[in-house]
Amino acid sequence: MKGKLIIVSGPSGSGKSTVTKIVKDRLNIPLSISATTRKPREGEVEGIDYYFLSEDEFKRKISNDEFYEYANVHGNYYGTLKKTVEENLEKGLNVILEIDVQGALIAKDKKKDAVLVFFKTKDTKILEERLRGRKTDSEEVIKKRLENALKELEFENKYDYTVINEDIEDSCQKLIEIINE
Ligand code: 5GP
């Protein structure tokens, strides 16, 4: 049997990355490492957090049709490599992609039985607090991410499930239930 494709999206600061990482560990789901042209943040490691590529390298992969999906998010390219998704699904392994709304809709279009999960906070004030609390991004980047968050929230109705992330453990349980359904 083929694995399930689960796609998690939601605004920056919704806590989706933290929850997705924990759930992947608990369920032994292999990491799916995206490529990006964004510069690494402090502490981020090549090949673990992302494959950090130059814009030329990224565009070469686009021309070689190496991406399952890709999108321009906050002014940088981000993309999932085809082999990451296809090889694992063929092997019967579940795949979780944590990607933006544009990429999620591309992936759903390719694979109609993909399950789309939208993460959000109870209100946007919490998002702003979390983004500022991270202290890794400049004011300009924070503003852009907040603007983008409001746009992303408009896509919630295209998703199969919404998780309002108030408590990490509760959200992990919800995501696990969705995956096992
Ligand atoms: P960050 O810069 O905070 O790591 O990620 C910014 C946004 O890019 C997040 O919404 C994240 O989900 C999205 N993202 C990360 N990897 C991918 C990917 O492979 N494809 C797409 N479309 N979005 C991605």
Side-chain angles (χ1 to χ4, degrees):
M1 209 174 86
K2 285 193 184 169
K4 257 192 212 169
L5 180 60
I6 295 110
I7 299 171
V8 172
S9 314
S12 295
S14 62
K16 62 186 187 295
S17 316
T18 311
V19 172
T20 307
K21 270 192 195 123
I22 298 173
V23 169
K24 277 185 181 169
D25 271 1
R26 285 201 196 153
L27 301 185
N28 265 324
I29 295 180
L31 290 177
S32 46
I33 298 152
S34 295
T36 183
T37 58
R38 160 165 87 58
K39 298 276 170 286
R41 295 196 187 109
E42 216 180 298
E44 284 186 329
V45 179
E46 161 69 22
I48 293 187
D49 296 289
Y50 281 107
Y51 298 115
F52 295 100
L53 305 181
S54 67
E55 204 158 309
D56 280 352
E57 287 168 327
F58 199 101
K59 287 189 173 157
R60 205 171 311 130
K61 288 196 187 298
I62 297 176
S63 333
N64 292 340
D65 199 23
E66 288 181 54
F67 286 110
Y68 193 75
E69 62 72 35
Y70 70 91
N72 194 300
V73 190
H74 320 303
N76 288 300
Y77 284 107
Y78 292 81
T80 312
L81 292 162
K82 270 187 185 167
K83 61 173 184 198
T84 313
V85 178
E86 288 167 355
E87 282 174 12
N88 284 325
L89 290 179
E90 281 302 322
K91 279 191 220 154
L93 299 172
N94 292 334
V95 173
I96 306 187
L97 302 180
E98 191 228 298
I99 61 180
D100 90 306
V101 292
Q102 309 166 71
L105 298 181
I106 296 171
K108 178 81 176 183
D109 209 39
K110 279 195 174 163
K111 193 162 165 46
K112 306 283 185 234
D113 59 354
V115 180
L116 301 192
V117 187
F118 194 85
F119 268 67
K120 65 177 194 180
T121 50
K122 222 165 67 183
D123 58 51
T124 45
K125 251 179 78 190
I126 302 176
L127 271 188
E128 184 163 358
E129 278 163 22
R130 286 198 192 154
L131 282 176
R132 293 195 185 285
R134 253 191 214 169
K135 297 201 168 72
T136 46
D137 297 319
S138 65
E139 183 58 32
E140 194 192 338
V141 168
I142 291 171
K143 280 217 177 103
K144 216 184 222 181
R145 282 177 181 247
L146 274 172
E147 266 169 36
N148 214 46
L150 298 179
K151 281 191 214 138
E152 292 217 330
L153 286 166
E154 290 171 17
F155 286 86
E156 183 189 342
N157 62 0
K158 307 253 185 235
Y159 282 66
D160 302 304
Y161 297 92
T162 293
V163 175
I164 298 176
N165 184 24
E166 289 186 88
D167 175 85
I168 300 276
E169 185 51 38
D170 284 352
S171 302
C172 289
Q173 288 307 326
K174 280 193 196 125
L175 185 55
I176 290 173
E177 273 168 31
I178 293 169
I179 295 169
N180 289 335
E181 213 163 72

